[in-house]
Amino acid sequence: MQHLQHNEPLTFEKVWQMFQETDKKFQETDKKFQETDKKMNHLIGNWGRLLEALVAPGCLQLFKERKIKVNQMFQNARVRRAGEEMEIDVLLVNDTEAVVIETKTNAGADEVNELLHDLASFKEFFPQYRSYTIYGGIASLRFKSEAEHYAAGKGLFVLKVSGEGLVQIIN
């Protein structure tokens, strides 16, 4: 970037050149931000998959202990209908019951509400489970501001990931 000498007159050409140089720097910075955003999204996606991998294996046994004898587990169950899509992080089923589990690194009231919304339309997206009893659960490393109590109050199972991949239902 060209700097003006202390006693040099400020001309339109010099101001225009300084503006162009500054604009170029902004464009370079914006490109770096976009690259960082891509890297962060990739990292967050990988973190989400890691959390699902920690939660899923213990879920069958956890729910069997709660007398919900699920015997099948699906991760990232995804359905597209009428131009809309629903993805379930962990889906546990038997012949009459299904447990829909959403995994989050940090779960708050908004995430609980999103799960409740998904549960309300679950049978529309997964009609093969229309006659099933559907349970919902939210799993997280950390619950924000009483979100676990809010989720439990809404009838959801609350699963906490703690130490070395152990998952517990805390309600």
Side-chain angles (χ1 to χ4, degrees), residues 102-159:
E102 181 71 19
T103 61
K104 296 291 181 186
T105 52
N106 292 299
D110 288 344
E111 289 76 18
V112 171
N113 288 333
E114 285 176 27
L115 175 57
L116 293 169
H117 178 266
D118 286 349
L119 287 169
S121 56
F122 176 78
K123 290 182 179 183
E124 293 171 32
F125 281 90
F126 294 86
Q128 65 270 37
Y129 301 114
R130 276 200 182 117
S131 64
Y132 283 46
T133 300
I134 307 298
Y135 301 99
I138 189 160
S140 185
L141 289 172
R142 186 174 147 266
F143 287 94
K144 299 182 247 179
S145 61
E146 305 296 317
E148 67 268 31
H149 300 297
Y150 177 62
K154 293 292 186 177
L156 300 174
F157 286 101
V158 179
L159 295 89

Side-chain angles (χ1 to χ4, degrees), residues 11-125:
T11 65
F12 175 79
E13 289 80 21
K14 288 180 183 175
V15 170
W16 182 249
Q17 183 179 5
M18 289 169 54
F19 171 77
Q20 288 176 321
E21 290 172 4
T22 301
D23 187 55
K24 183 179 178 188
K25 297 262 186 219
F26 277 128
Q27 289 176 5
E28 290 169 4
T29 301
D30 189 49
K31 184 177 179 184
K32 288 178 183 176
F33 277 132
Q34 289 174 2
E35 290 169 2
T36 301
D37 282 349
K38 284 182 185 177
K39 289 176 184 175
M40 287 299 294
N41 286 337
H42 180 72
L43 180 63
I44 289 168
N46 287 341
W47 185 250
R49 284 191 288 283
L50 174 63
L51 184 58
E52 289 169 17
L54 288 172
V55 168
C59 283
L60 288 173
Q61 186 59 38
L62 277 176
F63 284 93
K64 284 179 182 178
E65 290 169 5
R66 294 289 178 115
K67 307 295 185 229
I68 302 172
K69 298 188 185 303
V70 287
N71 55 18
Q72 295 179 49
M73 178 185 60
F74 304 97
Q75 286 183 254
N76 300 313
R78 192 177 286 193
V79 171
R80 188 170 190 83
R81 292 197 185 279
E84 293 191 38
E85 186 173 299
M86 178 181 283
E87 180 181 346
I88 305 300
D89 293 336
V90 179
L91 177 61
L92 309 170
V93 298
N94 60 28
D95 294 332
T96 60
E97 300 165 302
V99 183
V100 175
I101 300 173
E102 181 71 19
T103 61
K104 296 291 181 186
T105 52
N106 292 299
D110 288 344
E111 289 76 18
V112 171
N113 288 333
E114 285 176 27
L115 175 57
L116 293 169
H117 178 266
D118 286 349
L119 287 169
S121 56
F122 176 78
K123 290 182 179 183
E124 293 171 32
F125 281 90

